[in-house]
Amino acid sequence: MQQQSQLMFECLILGDSTALGAGRAINATHIVRCDVLAVEGASAAQILTWPRAPKRYSTIIVAVGSNDAPTPPLRRALVRIRVGLAARRVIWLLPYARSNAAIVNSIAISFADESLDLAQFPSRDRVHPSRYEDLVKVLLK
């Protein structure tokens, strides 16, 4: 039964370079395969210009906000991104920058989504986790 549920699990990782790294690490596990729609340096405004996901996913992991200024336009863009997501479960990766993390987390809370704070993972540049494998262990629990 567990094997069957894993086969039915469909996920999308959406966002910036953190999403790219997380997607590579998740897909390298061979336990779960996720579609990845991410570009290095992507801002929330850029993500809004992308086509909507072509299907409904069990889970969508969103990594956005690291390349944005912590301003009201970021909050509005995040709301618009979230409204366009079709998934049973949405997990937001909170950026290392605390002001941006607070904005992203407020969106997660307002939609009753989950969040995972990247600040709990070591980082060399305060933008990306040093080891995406550690992030994946938490995401796949």
Side-chain angles (χ1 to χ4, degrees), residues 25 130-138:
S130 298
R131 290 180 31 87
Y132 281 96
E133 297 81 7
D134 297 336
L135 173 64
V136 169
K137 286 177 189 175
V138 175

Side-chain angles (χ1 to χ4, degrees), residues 37-67:
L37 182 54
V39 173
E40 188 172 328
S43 68
Q46 288 172 316
I47 292 169
L48 283 171
T49 68
W50 298 351
R52 287 191 181 213
K55 58 186 172 183
R56 182 171 173 82
Y57 291 89
S58 300
T59 300
I60 297 177
I61 299 167
V62 184
V64 65
S66 294
N67 301 306

